[in-house]
Amino acid sequence: MSDAEAHLPEHHSGLAHQFEDLEQQQESDFLGIWLFLVTEIMFFGGLFAAYAIYRFFYFAAFEGGSHILDARLGAANTAVLLGSSLTMALSVRSAQTGNRRALVVFLIATLILGGAFLGVKAYEYNQKFVEHVVPGLDWAPEGEVLARLAPGGVQHAELYFIFYFAMTGLHAIHMVIGMGLLIWLAIRGRKGDFTPHYFAPVEVVGLYWHFVDIVWIFLFPLLYLIGGRY
Amino acid sequence: MSHIVVPQKTYIYIFLTLIGLTALTTGVAYVDLGPFNTVVALAIAFSKMLLVILFFMNVRNSSGLIRIIIVAAFFWFALLIAFTMSDYRTRTWTPAPDSWSSAPPTHP
């Protein structure tokens, strides 16, 4: 034990007793978060597979449903989320370099960008109620919206919107959880819990946040840009 | 893996590339490429994913164990999509023999 202690960069309160040193603990942390992300790929993977099947069956309906969405809003929201990934990566970097102030600033910036994303999403969800294209709760498309959905079959377009709400909803839940974790990190970061030797929580939450970003990178073209908009 | 501090510049360049690709995928959607609209959209999304994984998630500097876990996950996902779609897409290619009593699953 005294041999192992000699290799410790410092005796840190963040080191759990089952690990030899912080480096071993960190590698274990990475392994854990990546295995969790693998289960998340399987979780979202099932939805993506179901989406692929029904999009193949009812392509015209999915295309019609897709054209109800505002592609420019979706693109803008993609940019907002990519920005939050940038600030998240910079948070981890600030923790690595021991810049406590920058760490907290970048974490809060990530939080704000995540909130902006959800704000736009909430506006879009509200639009769906205005257009009466919410399956189960308010499904009564009329006028121009109905004209766009009719070629593919209105009932099948309802299926598209079920996928739209299920996939973006599950994504939004992940965002809310991520934002909760960011608040926790910002509080701990402000207290000075993270040092260049111990910042695994920041990096682990960062990996989760980037994963959620990747899910959106695929959701955007799959939901907003079906079949082109020419 | 995390001992390497990546220059801030790198993250900003990657971010700008990602924004460029988002603009590209949105722009391409307004051009008629037939079935290739989907192909291009997915190719761009895949490139963006690679940039995020390699740079933002810093897998570039990660251990072989982590890499093999990621590759295995995507291999599993590829199997899921490939086997599922090879079933649904080919169901109607060959008609069922007349002697079969019940109707086969048909393309809706």
Side-chain angles (χ1 to χ4, degrees):
Chain A
M1 191 60 213
S2 59
D3 222 30
E5 262 168 20
H7 295 291
L8 283 179
E10 64 194 77
H11 192 80
H12 202 281
S13 58
L15 178 63
H17 66 87
Q18 69 268 35
F19 296 109
E20 281 284 315
D21 50 34
L22 282 168
E23 197 173 331
Q24 190 196 29
Q25 173 172 300
Q26 197 178 36
E27 270 179 39
S28 179
D29 288 342
F30 284 132
L31 188 61
I33 182 67
W34 273 109
L35 285 175
F36 170 71
L37 293 182
V38 168
T39 67
E40 288 275 87
I41 291 172
M42 296 182 178
F43 186 25
F44 279 99
L47 266 178
F48 277 106
Y51 165 90
I53 294 165
Y54 286 103
R55 176 185 159 138
F56 168 62
F57 280 166
Y58 311 120
F59 184 77
F62 272 49
E63 195 176 14
S66 170
H67 290 190
I68 303 292
L69 307 183
D70 188 339
R72 283 163 305 179
L73 265 186
N77 234 1
T78 307
V80 168
L81 206 54
L82 289 170
S84 80
S85 259
L86 171 67
T87 54
M88 189 70 233
L90 293 175
S91 307
V92 175
R93 191 182 177 280
S94 306
Q96 273 181 317
T97 55
N99 189 339
R100 206 166 107 186
R101 214 182 106 79
L103 168 67
V104 175
V105 167
F106 282 130
L107 283 175
I108 290 172
T110 311
L111 193 63
I112 291 171
L113 288 167
F117 176 91
L118 286 179
V120 173
K121 205 77 226 134
Y123 169 78
E124 286 188 273
Y125 276 10
N126 182 55
Q127 279 303 108
K128 301 294 164 289
F129 279 96
V130 172
E131 289 163 345
H132 307 295
V133 286
V134 185
L137 294 177
D138 186 1
W139 183 261
E142 52 194 21
E144 202 187 321
V145 175
L146 183 62
R148 282 190 180 177
L149 297 182
V154 179
Q155 266 183 315
H156 296 154
E158 191 170 2
L159 194 56
Y160 165 81
F161 279 101
I162 289 174
F163 276 106
Y164 169 77
F165 279 104
M167 294 172 103
T168 58
L170 190 63
H171 178 263
I173 290 170
H174 278 79
M175 296 277 302
V176 171
I177 294 169
M179 287 168 71
L181 293 170
L182 286 172
I183 293 170
W184 170 68
L185 284 183
I187 292 169
R188 282 191 68 181
R190 214 177 108 80
K191 281 197 298 193
D193 276 4
F194 304 121
T195 66
H197 295 301
Y198 175 74
F199 59 90
V202 185
E203 189 140 24
V204 164
V205 171
L207 289 174
Y208 171 83
W209 190 264
H210 295 310
F211 169 81
V212 175
D213 189 18
I214 288 173
V215 171
W216 182 261
I217 285 175
F218 281 96
L219 286 182
F220 169 58
L222 289 178
L223 292 173
Y224 288 75
L225 305 175
I226 299 176
R229 298 178 151 261
Y230 30 84
Chain B
M1 50 170 65
S2 47
H3 316 296
I4 300 152
V5 179
V6 180
Q8 200 157 324
K9 240 184 5 197
T10 309
Y11 288 128
I12 290 168
Y13 287 149
I14 294 299
F15 168 70
L16 292 176
T17 312
L18 287 167
I19 293 294
L21 287 171
T22 305
L24 182 68
T25 194
T26 312
V28 166
Y30 290 89
V31 182
D32 186 359
L33 300 174
F36 284 98
N37 273 107
T38 306
V39 177
V40 171
L42 286 177
I44 292 175
F46 193 79
S47 319
K48 286 163 78 179
M49 179 188 77
L50 281 183
L51 287 175
V52 172
I53 290 183
L54 289 176
F55 291 90
F56 283 173
M57 298 171 103
N58 211 8
V59 169
R60 227 163 27 120
N61 300 317
S62 76
S63 68
L65 181 61
I66 300 286
R67 288 178 196 204
I68 211 161
I69 286 173
I70 300 167
V71 170
F74 282 102
F75 182 69
W76 174 87
F77 181 64
L79 282 186
L80 174 72
I81 298 291
F83 285 171
T84 305
M85 293 319 283
S86 63
D87 171 12
Y88 283 100
R89 291 196 89 104
T90 56
R91 278 187 184 187
T92 53
W93 284 10
T94 45
D98 292 335
S99 58
W100 286 13
S101 53
S102 61
T106 50
H107 189 299

